Amino acid sequence: MTYRQLKAALEPCAGPGEDAGFEALQLLTEYCGVSRASVLCEPDKDYSDARLETAVKLRRQGEPLQYILGRWDFMGLPFRLTRDCLVPRADTEILCQRLIELLSPGDVFADLCTGSGCIGVAALKLTEDTVCTAVEKYRETLDIAGENARMNGVESRFVPVLADALEDCLYDRGPFDVIVSNPPYISLKEMEDIPADVAAQPRRALTDEGDGLSFYKAMLGYCPGHIRPGGRLLFEIGWKQAQAVGLLAKAEGFESSIIKDCDGRDRVCEIYIK
């Protein structure tokens, strides 16, 4: 299979904003041991590998490229992935970057619904002397987060906690300077229309099986009691949820602001704790 043929084969499964050529290069470099430059210089050279053919078949069936490769970069750092973890997205880097901006040396923060640990681990790696309490409900997912902390050399500052973020999982911890979360926020109705490669990710990490606001309501109830005065609560939100989450914060007596992603869509709700 040549690069041109592989790119054409992947075109039908490339979603909006995705590049079949990029995916073809990723698979060729992974399974055929060739550089991107050599592939692009000889786009009609044939590459034969059974693993490559299997990977293409999986991708055409809707399997996310990140699960096929078993890893992905986030904030320029490597992360191992399995089907127990949500795939890190570029949109979430907006949330992580804001967290990093808020942290000072010696600060302590919590990452609720940590998943692969991408937010907490990246923030630890890119800040000085900070400590992260990472909360995850599912043991197999928390194990992957711990592995990613070790892989990136921050395991001594990464504190894994097996707990449910819908409950007060911080009752004996803190206080924190920042609490951050990318919770399941896709509503049950919206789940009917999600792309195939999103649907292939763990449902429990995507939706609360309700209106998409359950985790925000729960965390706004208990998180402020675990944040130092002047601290922040950072939520990734769906692009239509800014008003709803802002009103939830206001009902609890807190001011908030919205940060947009690179496409100009509402992406992060920053809540100010008095």
Side-chain angles (χ1 to χ4, degrees), residues 72-269:
W72 201 246
D73 282 1
F74 179 81
M75 298 292 290
L77 301 170
F79 287 86
R80 180 175 174 245
L81 293 178
T82 70
R83 290 181 64 89
D84 295 311
C85 305
L86 197 67
V87 172
R89 302 181 308 149
D91 287 341
T92 302
E93 293 191 357
I94 305 296
L95 176 69
C96 191
Q97 184 59 49
R98 182 54 182 155
L99 171 62
I100 291 168
E101 292 170 356
L102 290 172
L103 292 173
S104 299
D107 278 357
V108 179
F109 68 97
D111 176 17
L112 309 187
C113 305
T114 193
S116 67
C118 62
I119 297 170
V121 169
L124 289 175
K125 187 72 173 180
L126 299 173
T127 58
E128 182 180 351
D129 295 330
T130 54
V131 176
C132 173
T133 293
V135 176
E136 173 56 51
K137 181 178 180 180
Y138 301 97
R139 167 58 67 185
E140 60 272 25
T141 307
L142 190 62
D143 287 345
I144 294 297
E147 183 176 333
N148 283 325
R150 290 189 293 276
M151 184 168 63
N152 283 283
V154 296
E155 68 273 23
S156 65
R157 297 186 284 131
F158 186 84
V159 183
V161 175
L162 188 66
D164 188 347
L166 280 172
E167 303 170 358
D168 188 352
C169 52
L170 302 174
Y171 66 93
D172 58 349
R173 302 177 185 277
F176 299 97
D177 297 284
V178 184
I179 297 176
V180 62
S181 184
N182 178 19
Y185 59 70
I186 301 176
S187 71
L188 188 58
K189 181 174 178 56
E190 290 173 320
M191 286 293 291
E192 299 173 2
D193 300 317
I194 60 174
D197 58 348
V198 176
Q201 299 180 48
R203 185 179 179 93
R204 66 197 188 195
L206 296 170
T207 180
D208 63 355
E209 304 294 347
D211 63 2
L213 300 174
S214 300
F215 281 84
Y216 304 126
K217 294 172 183 176
M219 291 187 288
L220 276 166
Y222 68 80
C223 283
H226 301 287
I227 301 180
R228 291 189 177 96
R232 297 287 192 274
L233 181 54
L234 295 177
F235 291 144
E236 179 166 330
I237 59 173
W239 65 282
K240 296 180 180 180
Q241 292 178 318
Q243 182 178 15
V245 178
L247 287 174
L248 289 173
K250 186 176 181 180
E252 296 291 336
F254 303 112
E255 296 181 358
S256 64
S257 62
I258 299 298
I259 301 171
K260 295 183 181 295
D261 61 23
C262 295
D263 292 322
R265 292 183 166 185
D266 297 334
R267 185 58 56 190
V268 174
C269 184

Side-chain angles (χ1 to χ4, degrees), residues 42-93:
E42 298 181 274
D44 294 312
K45 181 178 179 179
D46 186 60
Y47 299 93
S48 297
D49 189 287
R51 297 175 304 161
L52 175 63
E53 293 176 7
T54 299
V56 174
K57 182 178 179 180
L58 287 171
R59 186 68 185 103
R60 286 177 60 86
Q61 291 173 347
E63 183 80 356
L65 175 66
Q66 296 88 343
Y67 291 155
I68 295 171
L69 297 174
R71 66 178 189 278
W72 201 246
D73 282 1
F74 179 81
M75 298 292 290
L77 301 170
F79 287 86
R80 180 175 174 245
L81 293 178
T82 70
R83 290 181 64 89
D84 295 311
C85 305
L86 197 67
V87 172
R89 302 181 308 149
D91 287 341
T92 302
E93 293 191 357

